[in-house]
mmCIF file of all heavy atoms in Angstrom:
data_model
loop_
_atom_site.group_PDB
_atom_site.id
_atom_site.type_symbol
_atom_site.label_atom_id
_atom_site.label_comp_id
_atom_site.label_asym_id
_atom_site.label_seq_id
_atom_site.Cartn_x
_atom_site.Cartn_y
_atom_site.Cartn_z
ATOM 1 N N VAL J 5 -22.491 41.100 -29.202
ATOM 2 C CA VAL J 5 -23.681 41.106 -30.079
ATOM 3 C C VAL J 5 -23.826 42.458 -30.768
ATOM 4 O O VAL J 5 -24.083 42.539 -31.978
ATOM 5 C CB VAL J 5 -24.947 40.759 -29.283
ATOM 6 C CG1 VAL J 5 -26.192 41.006 -30.141
ATOM 7 C CG2 VAL J 5 -24.911 39.307 -28.817
ATOM 8 N N LEU J 6 -23.664 43.546 -30.012
ATOM 9 C CA LEU J 6 -23.808 44.890 -30.592
ATOM 10 C C LEU J 6 -22.693 45.164 -31.607
ATOM 11 O O LEU J 6 -22.959 45.756 -32.668
ATOM 12 C CB LEU J 6 -23.774 45.952 -29.491
ATOM 13 C CG LEU J 6 -24.985 45.955 -28.534
ATOM 14 C CD1 LEU J 6 -24.794 46.994 -27.447
ATOM 15 C CD2 LEU J 6 -26.269 46.228 -29.306
ATOM 16 N N THR J 7 -21.496 44.728 -31.300
ATOM 17 C CA THR J 7 -20.381 44.909 -32.232
ATOM 18 C C THR J 7 -20.631 44.125 -33.510
ATOM 19 O O THR J 7 -20.416 44.618 -34.624
ATOM 20 C CB THR J 7 -19.057 44.452 -31.606
ATOM 21 O OG1 THR J 7 -18.826 45.165 -30.399
ATOM 22 C CG2 THR J 7 -17.898 44.676 -32.552
ATOM 23 N N TRP J 8 -21.104 42.898 -33.343
ATOM 24 C CA TRP J 8 -21.417 42.044 -34.488
ATOM 25 C C TRP J 8 -22.494 42.695 -35.362
ATOM 26 O O TRP J 8 -22.370 42.736 -36.597
ATOM 27 C CB TRP J 8 -21.877 40.684 -33.993
ATOM 28 C CG TRP J 8 -22.222 39.707 -35.070
ATOM 29 C CD1 TRP J 8 -23.451 39.516 -35.647
ATOM 30 C CD2 TRP J 8 -21.342 38.776 -35.704
ATOM 31 N NE1 TRP J 8 -23.403 38.519 -36.575
ATOM 32 C CE2 TRP J 8 -22.114 38.053 -36.638
ATOM 33 C CE3 TRP J 8 -19.986 38.478 -35.552
ATOM 34 C CZ2 TRP J 8 -21.573 37.060 -37.429
ATOM 35 C CZ3 TRP J 8 -19.442 37.483 -36.358
ATOM 36 C CH2 TRP J 8 -20.222 36.784 -37.273
ATOM 37 N N ALA J 9 -23.555 43.191 -34.748
ATOM 38 C CA ALA J 9 -24.645 43.822 -35.492
ATOM 39 C C ALA J 9 -24.147 45.032 -36.275
ATOM 40 O O ALA J 9 -24.548 45.273 -37.424
ATOM 41 C CB ALA J 9 -25.762 44.229 -34.537
ATOM 42 N N THR J 10 -23.260 45.805 -35.664
ATOM 43 C CA THR J 10 -22.702 46.977 -36.332
ATOM 44 C C THR J 10 -21.900 46.588 -37.556
ATOM 45 O O THR J 10 -22.020 47.194 -38.620
ATOM 46 C CB THR J 10 -21.802 47.770 -35.363
ATOM 47 O OG1 THR J 10 -22.583 48.180 -34.224
ATOM 48 C CG2 THR J 10 -21.233 49.003 -36.031
ATOM 49 N N VAL J 11 -21.081 45.536 -37.408
ATOM 50 C CA VAL J 11 -20.264 45.068 -38.536
ATOM 51 C C VAL J 11 -21.144 44.555 -39.666
ATOM 52 O O VAL J 11 -20.902 44.827 -40.835
ATOM 53 C CB VAL J 11 -19.284 43.970 -38.069
ATOM 54 C CG1 VAL J 11 -18.559 43.361 -39.251
ATOM 55 C CG2 VAL J 11 -18.276 44.536 -37.081
ATOM 56 N N MET J 12 -22.198 43.804 -39.320
ATOM 57 C CA MET J 12 -23.100 43.254 -40.344
ATOM 58 C C MET J 12 -23.829 44.364 -41.123
ATOM 59 O O MET J 12 -24.207 44.178 -42.280
ATOM 60 C CB MET J 12 -24.122 42.327 -39.696
ATOM 61 C CG MET J 12 -23.554 41.021 -39.169
ATOM 62 S SD MET J 12 -22.791 39.959 -40.425
ATOM 63 C CE MET J 12 -21.039 40.168 -40.014
ATOM 64 N N ALA J 13 -24.031 45.512 -40.464
ATOM 65 C CA ALA J 13 -24.768 46.608 -41.099
ATOM 66 C C ALA J 13 -23.894 47.483 -41.993
ATOM 67 O O ALA J 13 -24.417 48.334 -42.735
ATOM 68 C CB ALA J 13 -25.434 47.467 -40.027
ATOM 69 N N ILE J 14 -22.577 47.293 -41.920
ATOM 70 C CA ILE J 14 -21.672 48.085 -42.757
ATOM 71 C C ILE J 14 -21.908 47.752 -44.231
ATOM 72 O O ILE J 14 -21.900 46.587 -44.611
ATOM 73 C CB ILE J 14 -20.204 47.816 -42.369
ATOM 74 C CG1 ILE J 14 -19.939 48.288 -40.939
ATOM 75 C CG2 ILE J 14 -19.256 48.526 -43.346
ATOM 76 C CD1 ILE J 14 -18.549 47.952 -40.447
ATOM 77 N N PRO J 15 -22.130 48.757 -45.076
ATOM 78 C CA PRO J 15 -22.381 48.492 -46.501
ATOM 79 C C PRO J 15 -21.238 47.718 -47.147
ATOM 80 O O PRO J 15 -20.067 48.004 -46.931
ATOM 81 C CB PRO J 15 -22.475 49.904 -47.094
ATOM 82 C CG PRO J 15 -22.935 50.750 -45.949
ATOM 83 C CD PRO J 15 -22.259 50.186 -44.743
ATOM 84 N N GLY J 16 -21.608 46.703 -47.879
ATOM 85 C CA GLY J 16 -20.638 45.846 -48.564
ATOM 86 C C GLY J 16 -21.359 45.016 -49.605
ATOM 87 O O GLY J 16 -22.532 45.294 -49.933
ATOM 88 N N PRO J 17 -20.717 43.997 -50.161
ATOM 89 C CA PRO J 17 -21.367 43.159 -51.187
ATOM 90 C C PRO J 17 -22.708 42.584 -50.744
ATOM 91 O O PRO J 17 -23.633 42.495 -51.554
ATOM 92 C CB PRO J 17 -20.321 42.063 -51.421
ATOM 93 C CG PRO J 17 -19.021 42.697 -51.085
ATOM 94 C CD PRO J 17 -19.313 43.603 -49.928
ATOM 95 N N ASP J 18 -22.819 42.153 -49.480
ATOM 96 C CA ASP J 18 -24.083 41.589 -49.010
ATOM 97 C C ASP J 18 -25.219 42.591 -49.119
ATOM 98 O O ASP J 18 -26.319 42.261 -49.602
ATOM 99 C CB ASP J 18 -23.963 41.147 -47.537
ATOM 100 C CG ASP J 18 -23.037 39.958 -47.375
ATOM 101 O OD1 ASP J 18 -22.971 39.129 -48.298
ATOM 102 O OD2 ASP J 18 -22.387 39.855 -46.321
ATOM 103 N N ILE J 19 -24.985 43.800 -48.654
ATOM 104 C CA ILE J 19 -26.020 44.835 -48.682
ATOM 105 C C ILE J 19 -26.374 45.208 -50.129
ATOM 106 O O ILE J 19 -27.532 45.456 -50.457
ATOM 107 C CB ILE J 19 -25.561 46.083 -47.912
ATOM 108 C CG1 ILE J 19 -25.163 45.699 -46.483
ATOM 109 C CG2 ILE J 19 -26.660 47.137 -47.891
ATOM 110 C CD1 ILE J 19 -26.252 45.033 -45.689
ATOM 111 N N VAL J 20 -25.351 45.217 -50.997
ATOM 112 C CA VAL J 20 -25.603 45.516 -52.415
ATOM 113 C C VAL J 20 -26.509 44.442 -53.018
ATOM 114 O O VAL J 20 -27.463 44.750 -53.756
ATOM 115 C CB VAL J 20 -24.295 45.605 -53.203
ATOM 116 C CG1 VAL J 20 -24.556 45.753 -54.703
ATOM 117 C CG2 VAL J 20 -23.453 46.784 -52.720
ATOM 118 N N ALA J 21 -26.212 43.161 -52.722
ATOM 119 C CA ALA J 21 -27.026 42.069 -53.250
ATOM 120 C C ALA J 21 -28.463 42.162 -52.735
ATOM 121 O O ALA J 21 -29.438 41.995 -53.490
ATOM 122 C CB ALA J 21 -26.409 40.724 -52.869
ATOM 123 N N ILE J 22 -28.599 42.410 -51.436
ATOM 124 C CA ILE J 22 -29.940 42.545 -50.835
ATOM 125 C C ILE J 22 -30.683 43.711 -51.472
ATOM 126 O O ILE J 22 -31.870 43.609 -51.811
ATOM 127 C CB ILE J 22 -29.823 42.729 -49.317
ATOM 128 C CG1 ILE J 22 -29.297 41.439 -48.673
ATOM 129 C CG2 ILE J 22 -31.165 43.116 -48.703
ATOM 130 C CD1 ILE J 22 -28.893 41.588 -47.222
ATOM 131 N N GLY J 23 -29.990 44.828 -51.642
ATOM 132 C CA GLY J 23 -30.617 46.011 -52.244
ATOM 133 C C GLY J 23 -31.029 45.778 -53.689
ATOM 134 O O GLY J 23 -32.094 46.231 -54.097
ATOM 135 N N THR J 24 -30.200 45.054 -54.422
ATOM 136 C CA THR J 24 -30.496 44.788 -55.823
ATOM 137 C C THR J 24 -31.776 43.979 -55.965
ATOM 138 O O THR J 24 -32.677 44.314 -56.750
ATOM 139 C CB THR J 24 -29.335 44.025 -56.487
ATOM 140 O OG1 THR J 24 -28.136 44.825 -56.428
ATOM 141 C CG2 THR J 24 -29.647 43.713 -57.943
ATOM 142 N N GLN J 25 -31.876 42.889 -55.207
ATOM 143 C CA GLN J 25 -33.063 42.048 -55.284
ATOM 144 C C GLN J 25 -34.289 42.771 -54.751
ATOM 145 O O GLN J 25 -35.396 42.588 -55.291
ATOM 146 C CB GLN J 25 -32.838 40.749 -54.515
ATOM 147 C CG GLN J 25 -31.775 39.845 -55.122
ATOM 148 C CD GLN J 25 -32.090 39.412 -56.526
ATOM 149 O OE1 GLN J 25 -31.655 40.049 -57.476
ATOM 150 N NE2 GLN J 25 -32.840 38.339 -56.659
ATOM 151 N N THR J 26 -34.129 43.549 -53.702
ATOM 152 C CA THR J 26 -35.262 44.277 -53.139
ATOM 153 C C THR J 26 -35.826 45.289 -54.130
ATOM 154 O O THR J 26 -37.041 45.373 -54.343
ATOM 155 C CB THR J 26 -34.845 45.021 -51.855
ATOM 156 O OG1 THR J 26 -34.380 44.065 -50.888
ATOM 157 C CG2 THR J 26 -36.026 45.793 -51.250
ATOM 158 N N SER J 27 -34.927 46.058 -54.756
ATOM 159 C CA SER J 27 -35.383 47.094 -55.679
ATOM 160 C C SER J 27 -35.953 46.509 -56.968
ATOM 161 O O SER J 27 -36.854 47.087 -57.571
ATOM 162 C CB SER J 27 -34.215 48.047 -55.995
ATOM 163 O OG SER J 27 -33.134 47.341 -56.585
ATOM 164 N N ARG J 28 -35.460 45.335 -57.388
ATOM 165 C CA ARG J 28 -35.909 44.747 -58.636
ATOM 166 C C ARG J 28 -37.169 43.926 -58.481
ATOM 167 O O ARG J 28 -38.089 43.981 -59.298
ATOM 168 C CB ARG J 28 -34.809 43.876 -59.241
ATOM 169 C CG ARG J 28 -33.666 44.631 -59.866
ATOM 170 C CD ARG J 28 -32.654 43.664 -60.469
ATOM 171 N NE ARG J 28 -31.571 44.391 -61.122
ATOM 172 C CZ ARG J 28 -30.503 43.800 -61.659
ATOM 173 N NH1 ARG J 28 -30.386 42.474 -61.613
ATOM 174 N NH2 ARG J 28 -29.568 44.518 -62.246
ATOM 175 N N TYR J 29 -37.221 43.112 -57.399
ATOM 176 C CA TYR J 29 -38.295 42.130 -57.276
ATOM 177 C C TYR J 29 -39.158 42.288 -56.029
ATOM 178 O O TYR J 29 -40.089 41.505 -55.833
ATOM 179 C CB TYR J 29 -37.707 40.714 -57.299
ATOM 180 C CG TYR J 29 -36.855 40.442 -58.516
ATOM 181 C CD1 TYR J 29 -35.512 40.140 -58.409
ATOM 182 C CD2 TYR J 29 -37.404 40.517 -59.793
ATOM 183 C CE1 TYR J 29 -34.727 39.904 -59.522
ATOM 184 C CE2 TYR J 29 -36.631 40.274 -60.915
ATOM 185 C CZ TYR J 29 -35.285 39.976 -60.781
ATOM 186 O OH TYR J 29 -34.529 39.735 -61.890
ATOM 187 N N GLY J 30 -38.818 43.263 -55.172
ATOM 188 C CA GLY J 30 -39.682 43.504 -54.019
ATOM 189 C C GLY J 30 -39.121 43.014 -52.699
ATOM 190 O O GLY J 30 -38.049 42.401 -52.634
ATOM 191 N N GLN J 31 -39.874 43.304 -51.647
ATOM 192 C CA GLN J 31 -39.435 43.021 -50.289
ATOM 193 C C GLN J 31 -39.153 41.551 -50.034
ATOM 194 O O GLN J 31 -38.170 41.186 -49.365
ATOM 195 C CB GLN J 31 -40.483 43.525 -49.290
ATOM 196 C CG GLN J 31 -39.992 43.609 -47.853
ATOM 197 C CD GLN J 31 -39.023 44.747 -47.662
ATOM 198 O OE1 GLN J 31 -39.419 45.890 -47.514
ATOM 199 N NE2 GLN J 31 -37.734 44.440 -47.688
ATOM 200 N N ARG J 32 -40.012 40.670 -50.550
ATOM 201 C CA ARG J 32 -39.845 39.256 -50.307
ATOM 202 C C ARG J 32 -38.507 38.761 -50.867
ATOM 203 O O ARG J 32 -37.802 37.964 -50.220
ATOM 204 C CB ARG J 32 -40.994 38.467 -50.920
ATOM 205 C CG ARG J 32 -40.945 36.972 -50.611
ATOM 206 C CD ARG J 32 -42.177 36.256 -51.142
ATOM 207 N NE ARG J 32 -43.405 36.763 -50.506
ATOM 208 C CZ ARG J 32 -44.610 36.299 -50.790
ATOM 209 N NH1 ARG J 32 -44.765 35.343 -51.703
ATOM 210 N NH2 ARG J 32 -45.671 36.777 -50.164
ATOM 211 N N ALA J 33 -38.150 39.234 -52.061
ATOM 212 C CA ALA J 33 -36.866 38.844 -52.657
ATOM 213 C C ALA J 33 -35.711 39.330 -51.800
ATOM 214 O O ALA J 33 -34.686 38.662 -51.660
ATOM 215 C CB ALA J 33 -36.762 39.408 -54.062
ATOM 216 N N GLY J 34 -35.865 40.538 -51.234
ATOM 217 C CA GLY J 34 -34.841 41.064 -50.341
ATOM 218 C C GLY J 34 -34.647 40.179 -49.123
ATOM 219 O O GLY J 34 -33.508 39.917 -48.692
ATOM 220 N N PHE J 35 -35.753 39.701 -48.557
ATOM 221 C CA PHE J 35 -35.665 38.815 -47.383
ATOM 222 C C PHE J 35 -35.006 37.492 -47.734
ATOM 223 O O PHE J 35 -34.223 36.948 -46.971
ATOM 224 C CB PHE J 35 -37.058 38.583 -46.784
ATOM 225 C CG PHE J 35 -37.647 39.785 -46.110
ATOM 226 C CD1 PHE J 35 -39.017 39.899 -45.938
ATOM 227 C CD2 PHE J 35 -36.836 40.796 -45.629
ATOM 228 C CE1 PHE J 35 -39.566 41.008 -45.293
ATOM 229 C CE2 PHE J 35 -37.373 41.903 -44.986
ATOM 230 C CZ PHE J 35 -38.733 42.013 -44.819
#
Side-chain angles (χ1 to χ4, degrees):
V5 170
L6 292 177
T7 303
W8 180 270
T10 301
V11 173
M12 291 298 107
I14 295 175
D18 292 328
I19 305 302
V20 174
I22 292 169
T24 299
Q25 294 300 94
T26 300
S27 60
R28 286 182 178 176
Y29 305 118
Q31 195 71 81
R32 185 175 298 180
F35 289 157

